[in-house]
Amino acid sequence: MGFSTDRSNNVVIVSNSSDNPFAIDVAYAMGQHEDIADLISMKHFMNSEFCPRFISDENDMENIGRNLKDKTVVIVSTSSHVKSRQELAMSNLVIARSAKENGADRVVLVEPDLFFSAQDRGPSDDLGETLFERDIHDIKKFDGQAFTSKLYAQLLKVSGVDAVLTIHNHSYSVQKIFSDVFEGDFHNLIPYEIYSHYLLNSNILNYGPQGEGLVLCAPDKGARDFVKVMFDTIGLTKAKFIMLDKVRTNERKVEITLHKESEHTFEGLDGCSIVLFDDMVRTGSTVVRSCQFLKQINPERMVFAVSHFYASDEGRERMAHPAIGEILTLNTLPTILNRDEQGRLRKKMVVLKVEKWIAQELSNILGLPQSDDDSPYKIDMSSKNPRFKRKIWFSDQLVDLNEET
């Protein structure tokens, strides 16, 4: 179940940090066993300016500026505690330009949590496309600010980036901008199969053989399409699908109700297992209020599944609330794997590591030979989790664990 180790495919995988473990794992899954630090030097001038250098044979005087000729350079970029996203973004630009000026045929940015996505529109109607009609209040929110998601896309393009891969970007405006700037070579990967495999093969939820007693929940109308596809992917015909509605009364307060367009009501759901899906969490106010609202069903299990776990200290404090039984997330922000970062949430956290899945999808996009894996993720669960029975690392070990119980 591995990727081709034939390096003749001319793909060079680097990062904006030579010791980025996420990038190292993606590179290894792609068949690149050379250390990133042996491929690119993260050089800085004495004045602190960044000047990366792709490493070449210092005695080769015949191929100056052509060391990357006919190669595809992949830059794997994730956030970290060491550098700000601004610093990392600027590093991406300089590395891309270095690659192109040294002969690279193509540069691909893999950024699982796409930088500057929060600022996805500007202070006028023509700055950002939305699926809703912008009123004066929405436009006013961006008064005096820059439309940075568009700026970032344009800067990446002019620096030499040819394609961008990200995971579960929530913004239609950002998706439209990047698709336009990169002429369709923008890949927003949605982890339907990753979530589905874990939910179906682990004991995180209790439900009948056809999904009896299982409820999938969208926190708002914006998440409906994603959760609907999740519902179809899981394929349990007797599961239920409900949708909530939220009204934000201020930045940190929301009111939750059952959406009038919800496919199912609360009738007959007493004692069910609920999984609430969302693309991201920051302050945690919406997810906690949603789970508190869902408590009226008296669920046996309440799981929150989220792709990007940005939670601040404030958010982690909120999500320790007993209304949330367990949190299922991805390592798109790799710092979430730090036990200190998890804090009091440690006992309810499960992190699905998706580097191998990224490598698989990247290989498909680049047309590289590779072996498909039905469960291309790893599992990070603390022994503090009540479901912990023994260490399970690889996702295909879940079946063995269930057979033991």
Side-chain angles (χ1 to χ4, degrees):
M1 290 294 186
F3 289 80
S4 169
T5 56
D6 180 7
R7 298 294 296 128
S8 65
N9 53 41
N10 280 333
V11 176
V12 177
I13 301 168
V14 298
S15 181
N16 43 28
S17 170
S18 59
D19 59 353
N20 181 337
F22 190 98
I24 291 168
D25 284 351
V26 170
Y28 188 82
M30 292 283 290
Q32 176 179 291
H33 296 168
E34 299 96 327
D35 289 339
I36 289 174
D38 291 333
L39 298 174
I40 185 170
S41 171
M42 301 300 178
K43 173 184 171 184
H44 286 78
F45 290 125
M46 290 297 293
N47 64 1
S48 79
E49 290 176 1
F50 183 50
C51 182
R53 179 171 65 89
F54 284 90
I55 297 171
S56 60
D57 182 354
E58 61 185 28
N59 296 314
D60 182 2
M61 300 298 175
E62 301 296 323
N63 295 293
I64 298 172
R66 293 182 294 171
N67 183 48
L68 298 173
K69 187 177 185 302
D70 297 327
K71 295 185 183 295
T72 293
V73 172
V74 177
I75 306 168
V76 180
S77 169
T78 64
S79 58
S80 76
H81 283 317
V82 179
K83 294 182 179 180
S84 70
R85 291 162 79 92
Q86 287 70 238
E87 290 177 285
L88 294 169
M90 186 65 191
S91 296
N92 291 337
L93 305 179
V94 181
I95 292 170
R97 180 56 61 91
S98 299
K100 278 297 179 72
E101 290 183 352
N102 282 276
D105 180 61
R106 192 178 187 202
V107 176
V108 179
L109 175 67
V110 174
E111 201 159 71
D113 170 39
L114 191 59
F115 295 171
F116 298 103
S117 290
Q119 195 69 12
D120 63 351
R121 48 198 189 275
S124 66
D125 271 335
D126 61 335
L127 294 176
E129 294 189 30
T130 62
L131 295 174
F132 58 89
E133 186 174 348
R134 298 183 67 189
D135 58 23
I136 189 66
H137 301 289
D138 182 78
I139 294 172
K140 179 61 179 176
K141 285 194 300 186
F142 300 89
D143 192 14
Q145 302 177 41
F147 187 9
T148 46
S149 55
K150 184 174 184 178
L151 173 64
Y152 186 46
Q154 292 171 329
L155 288 172
L156 288 171
K157 184 66 174 179
V158 77
S159 72
V161 173
D162 299 292
V164 174
L165 275 72
T166 193
I167 294 178
H168 202 172
N169 186 273
H170 73 289
S171 171
Y172 174 79
S173 176
V174 170
Q175 294 170 40
K176 184 68 167 60
I177 291 161
F178 274 76
S179 291
D180 288 348
V181 170
F182 292 96
E183 299 176 345
D185 215 346
F186 171 65
H187 307 272
N188 186 28
L189 310 178
I190 312 295
Y192 299 119
E193 285 76 16
I194 300 292
Y195 285 132
S196 177
H197 186 277
Y198 188 76
L199 293 174
L200 290 173
N201 291 280
S202 71
N203 62 343
I204 194 171
L205 298 167
N206 295 323
Y207 53 85
Q210 298 301 317
E212 299 90 341
L214 174 63
V215 177
L216 274 60
C217 180
D220 53 39
K221 194 171 181 178
R224 177 170 59 182
D225 290 347
F226 165 65
V227 182
K228 180 61 176 172
V229 177
M230 275 303 316
F231 186 87
D232 295 338
T233 303
I234 288 174
L236 298 173
T237 57
K238 294 187 178 179
K240 304 291 186 182
F241 176 28
I242 61 175
M243 181 170 64
L244 305 182
D245 195 14
K246 65 181 178 183
V247 177
R248 190 172 293 278
T249 55
N250 64 39
E251 187 176 350
R252 285 176 166 76
K253 288 187 178 181
V254 294
E255 295 296 330
I256 306 294
T257 61
L258 182 67
H259 202 289
K260 62 183 180 181
E261 298 178 18
S262 178
E263 290 196 14
H264 296 98
T265 65
F266 287 176
E267 184 178 354
L269 300 185
D270 188 71
C272 63
S273 287
I274 301 176
V275 54
L276 175 72
F277 288 96
D278 214 346
D279 59 304
M280 69 171 69
V281 60
R282 289 195 177 103
T283 67
S285 58
T286 299
V287 60
V288 172
R289 287 287 297 116
S290 297
C291 290
Q292 287 176 314
F293 178 73
L294 291 167
K295 273 292 187 181
Q296 63 187 283
I297 305 175
N298 190 31
E300 179 187 2
R301 292 282 290 154
M302 178 79 74
V303 173
F304 175 48
V306 60
S307 296
H308 306 296
F309 195 96
Y310 293 97
S312 59
D313 291 341
E314 171 191 4
R316 287 193 297 273
E317 187 71 23
R318 278 203 179 100
M319 285 184 289
H321 195 285
I324 304 175
E326 202 160 340
I327 298 170
L328 180 66
T329 189
L330 310 181
N331 64 327
T332 58
L333 290 89
T335 50
I336 192 58
L337 293 166
N338 185 307
R339 293 291 191 247
D340 294 330
E341 183 80 4
Q342 292 176 358
R344 295 199 314 168
L345 295 181
R346 179 180 176 184
K347 64 182 181 181
K348 62 170 70 175
M349 294 284 300
V350 178
V351 183
L352 306 182
K353 300 185 64 184
V354 295
E355 294 95 330
K356 191 174 182 182
W357 177 63
I358 284 277
Q360 181 172 289
E361 295 295 324
L362 181 60
S363 291
N364 286 335
I365 290 166
L366 296 179
L368 302 179
Q370 49 92 19
S371 300
D372 286 333
D373 191 331
D374 293 333
S375 53
Y377 65 94
K378 293 182 180 180
I379 302 162
D380 184 272
M381 176 194 282
S382 168
S383 58
K384 300 292 185 182
N385 189 302
R387 290 192 299 114
F388 185 90
K389 290 183 174 57
R390 65 177 174 84
K391 186 64 181 176
I392 291 295
W393 187 247
F394 295 98
S395 49
D396 55 8
Q397 295 174 319
L398 289 171
V399 175
D400 295 335
L401 182 68
N402 284 334
E403 288 175 352
E404 290 173 12
T405 58

